[in-house]
Amino acid sequence: NTTVGLTNLDEAIELARRIGAEGIECEMLVRRVEVLVTAERFEEALTEADRLEPERALTLLALGLALNNRKHFADAKTALVHSLELQSESMEAVAALAEAESGLGNFDAAASHAERALQRAPANAAANLVIGLVLIERRQYAEAQEALLKAMSADPDSPKAVYQLSLVAARLGD
């Protein structure tokens, strides 16, 4: 591993570029952005992602997912919209954008993005989760339960789906 002895992430990324190690470069870049997100330096994380890899939709997707997980939905939306401008067919980015919209309370937009993702990837856990959340918001609990069961089927370890499903079961009296 040629990057082990390097302490400066910029130098490591540059070395990875020179030796053509795209996977290493991408991993380090995602790590740097994650560090900035963890430190809640979101604007800097987005700027850094643009500076280092302005045409890397995957990096922006990783940033959007990290921000969604920290419930910083407005910042996640910015990163995900930019990611989709670069790679419009990414259903992971569309589903993540649906989650950001849901977190912002934009349930119609969330449903629209989730339905788009589900047209291409019916088993997408995030999109099914968002549909479930939107249906809960609309008090359509039986339909929400169905969507959340699909989300759990696609990602059995999802604590969000399990939690929301337990809330729906309580509403339905199960």
Side-chain angles (χ1 to χ4, degrees):
N1 185 344
T2 57
T3 62
V4 170
L6 297 174
T7 56
N8 182 316
L9 198 51
D10 282 327
E11 289 176 15
I13 291 170
E14 185 54 37
L15 176 62
R17 282 189 178 130
R18 278 186 277 139
I19 64 173
E22 186 174 312
I24 294 169
E25 174 190 347
C26 182
E27 182 181 328
M28 288 184 295
L29 175 59
V30 169
R31 231 180 253 154
R32 165 182 251 150
V33 171
E34 286 174 347
V35 166
L36 291 170
V37 168
T38 300
E40 297 196 3
R41 293 163 51 190
F42 307 117
E43 191 62 38
E44 188 178 345
L46 186 56
T47 300
E48 189 69 0
D50 281 340
R51 180 182 76 79
L52 292 171
E53 294 294 339
E55 299 301 317
R56 181 81 57 150
L58 186 59
T59 301
L60 292 165
L61 172 59
L63 175 59
L65 291 169
L67 289 164
N68 271 348
N69 285 337
R70 294 188 156 279
K71 299 188 183 322
H72 293 281
F73 300 114
D75 294 312
K77 180 179 175 179
T78 300
L80 294 164
V81 165
H82 188 187
S83 176
L84 286 164
E85 288 169 354
L86 298 171
Q87 189 175 357
S88 64
E89 296 303 311
S90 169
M91 290 306 106
E92 290 100 357
V94 173
L97 180 57
E99 184 178 353
E101 292 285 14
S102 175
L104 291 169
N106 302 330
F107 296 108
D108 289 339
S112 176
H113 294 307
E115 288 167 1
R116 177 178 166 209
L118 291 172
Q119 286 175 354
R120 300 267 316 271
N124 185 295
N128 277 300
L129 176 65
V130 169
I131 291 295
L133 294 173
V134 169
L135 291 168
I136 290 170
E137 184 66 25
R138 295 177 180 165
R139 301 183 188 280
Q140 297 174 311
Y141 300 115
E143 295 87 347
Q145 184 177 40
E146 189 177 313
L148 293 168
L149 286 169
K150 288 178 186 176
M152 266 188 50
S153 176
D155 183 6
D157 297 324
S158 169
K160 292 177 189 176
V162 171
Y163 175 72
Q164 294 299 328
L165 194 56
S166 69
L167 296 178
V168 167
R171 290 285 186 171
L172 292 172
D174 292 341

